[in-house]
Amino acid sequence: MIFEGKSLSVTLTDDSIAELVFDAQGSVNKFDRQTVEELDKATQAIASTDGVKGVLVRSAKSTFIVGADITEFTPLFEMAPEDILEWVAKTSQVFDRFEDLPVPSVVAVNGFALGGGCEMALAGDIRVVDTTAKIGLPEVKLGLMPGFGGTVRLPRLIGADNALEWMTTGRDRNGEKALKEGAVDAVVAPEKLHEAARTMLKSAIDGKLDWQNRRAQKKAPLMLNTNESMMSFSTAAAMVAAQAGKHYPAPHKMVETVSKAAGLDRDGALKLENEGFVALAKTDACKAQVGIFLADQLVKSKGKKVAKGATKEVKQHAVLGAGIMGGGIAYQGAVKGIPTVMKDINQAALDLGLKEASGILAKGMQRGKVDAKKMASTLNNIIPTLDQNAIADADLVIEAVVENPKIKAAVLADTEKTVADDAIICSNTSTISINQLAESLNKPERFCGMHFFNPVHKMPLVEIIRGEQTSDATISAVVAATLKMGKTPIVVNDCPGFLVNRVLFPYFAGFSQLLIDGADFTAVDKVMEKVFGWPMGPAFLLDVVGMDTADHASGVMSDGIPERMQKIDNDPVTLLYKAGRLGQKNGKGFYDFSLDKRGRPAKKASPEAYALFEGHVAASKDFDKEEIIARVMIPMANEAIRCLEEGIVASAAEADMALLFGLGFPPFRGGIFRYIETMGLANFVALADKYASLGPIYQISDGVREMAAAGKSYFSQSA
């Protein structure tokens, strides 16, 4: 044994090959500080051992190295820039020292080699991967760039164009694609990986593979002339500007860094990489995106933990109410192999539901993501019916009829009479109280809310709403079923609008009041899309939701939380609804919807909408972007805080993921609580107080005022 640590070890074989094996104490290998330190000690031990002819790096686990330990980033990135720079420079030098060993090295990759794992592979002279391998540099998804030599070595191996495409998108490659691009040297079957790596290493030791030249290439300047350099980097910059936009600094910094480092050797290029890494580590976007990653991990782990408690296996679904929403829910189960009865009282609705499922599959086929076999098996898993008795064997029934409490109650009561005593019954309601609906059932303990978002196949979130009498067993089974459907479950407690819609409607109310005060809805949409980063501004979103749906839901919210959500006099949404302007569903709302010359959807601000508002709103007035953002976002933030304080949602992290997955909250802002904390709680309190005279939705709770005064964080409470 040359070296033995907690995360890795080095042994010398009979033929003088040093095998460096990553085998951390946890379930996966990752680069935490301990592992980096052990890699450096192992490298030094190899360098000082007589007789070593070559180094073979591999993993003892089912995957190579998943990347750096993200949990260490949060405290690390709070340090001063010069301290972060010292850390990343010292760490990257560990990889340099490994690369500089006086003997050839081969890295054998199985499973994931991402981020730091990929950079470890790049530090070797030769890379052999098996057919399970996924290799890539996904740091951009955390608002970062590679920090352990990735921006230096990869461009010198596969060219700047390919390397920047890898890094700015963060997409990984399988072995064959990585081989084709020149990032790896061989792809073999998993059972042959170790043997193949040894064979290639022996070829390098014997001088049959020119490992010195390979290494020299990674340490030299990029081989680009002036014209090639200008074309390559200007094209990359244009692509990043078009795809990432201005809100995500990481891909821009990568292009800039690789461009500036093109004429430098490894040490000079690494210095620029280290500096770029530090600059990104201190951005709000990085803080937000790292926060999203950690919140996502928390939500996934909670979901798996709850699902483990399930005592009932769900083998068959039933969806009550077809149409677009019901068809989408039926598709989601069917595509995952779950037989799903889709029941309605109207054949036309069943036809529409099947059309929705078929349409989703057809688009998948056009994009090459669905084959004919998958399409056939999915559609065969959907059993359309008008017969109530067809749902008798369902383990999980999802009611998705019209958003009317009396109709839903009647459907739920009939369902309970039809299904087995241990069947679970759910309501896909967006606002109606689960406790109220539970009154129609004899066994309310097997009932909960299961709120899908439209379009179902695209939106990752399902809100699982626990009623007062819902059992833990029911929640566990529904969470497990949601995960099986490929969705992200977040459990919340019952209240008007639950979590997502409860925080959305104060946002809409703030928007409506802005219009009443003279704002132009197109100007508000432009600010909220281009400046704040929402995929749709509030007017466009209301058109997508539908004015009838929005007006109905605002009535439910008003009845449920009258102290803050009373209906607004002269609400533009209500004016549009009463005028029959329902939004996208009938082609007219705030905007008029049509198709352009190429047949693509198009919208333009409607003169009829402006005419409708005249006499009900103040004279046209310009508002600066900061005021527009404050007046729509403060109400949303306030209501999210109240949901956390009231225990509707268990943690700030879960609230952030719910809004990210359910509403498309801008990822570079990290979620509603990350947005508040990035602003600073004291600054948020001051801003809300500035607008407090506008009404209760702008008035903060005592809890947030106390937290701001005490310097506390909502994320220290996340669990």
Side-chain angles (χ1 to χ4, degrees), residues 126-137:
I126 299 161
R127 282 153 296 285
V128 186
V129 305
D130 72 16
T131 51
T132 71
K134 297 285 185 181
I135 185 166
L137 295 168

Side-chain angles (χ1 to χ4, degrees), residues 270-318:
L270 275 170
K271 184 174 183 296
L272 290 180
E273 179 185 271
N274 294 161
E275 291 168 354
F277 182 91
V278 174
L280 291 172
K282 300 304 287 185
T283 62
D284 289 342
C286 172
K287 198 171 191 177
Q289 288 174 266
V290 170
I292 287 172
F293 178 87
L294 296 174
D296 188 42
Q297 294 296 102
L298 180 141
V299 166
K300 284 176 178 173
S301 65
K302 283 191 81 167
K304 289 176 183 176
K305 187 176 180 181
V306 171
K308 279 183 180 177
T311 54
K312 178 179 177 59
E313 185 181 357
V314 173
K315 296 179 181 177
Q316 181 174 312
H317 290 178

Side-chain angles (χ1 to χ4, degrees), residues 22 24 27 54 58 67 85 98 134 139 175 216 225 237 267 360 420 454 479 520 535 546 579 590 621 694:
F22 285 91
S27 58
R58 64 180 177 88
L85 182 61
F98 175 83
K134 297 285 185 181
E139 287 85 352
N225 63 39
D267 294 346
I360 296 166
N454 204 16
V479 166
D520 184 319
F590 285 100
K621 176 185 172 184
L694 292 176

Side-chain angles (χ1 to χ4, degrees), residues 364-410:
M365 287 188 76
Q366 289 171 9
R367 293 171 182 161
K369 294 185 176 181
V370 174
D371 58 21
K373 185 179 178 182
K374 185 69 173 178
M375 185 169 192
S377 66
T378 301
L379 291 176
N380 285 337
N381 277 331
I382 300 176
I383 305 104
T385 184
L386 299 172
D387 180 9
Q388 175 74 5
N389 291 322
I391 72 169
D393 294 329
D395 301 301
L396 174 69
V397 181
I398 304 167
E399 169 275 305
V401 303
V402 64
E403 191 77 350
N404 179 302
K406 290 183 179 178
I407 295 173
K408 283 185 179 290

Side-chain angles (χ1 to χ4, degrees), residues 603-622:
K603 66 179 174 68
K604 62 178 182 178
S606 174
E608 286 82 1
Y610 286 117
L612 195 63
F613 301 154
E614 281 184 20
H616 299 282
V617 301
S620 181
K621 176 185 172 184
D622 289 333

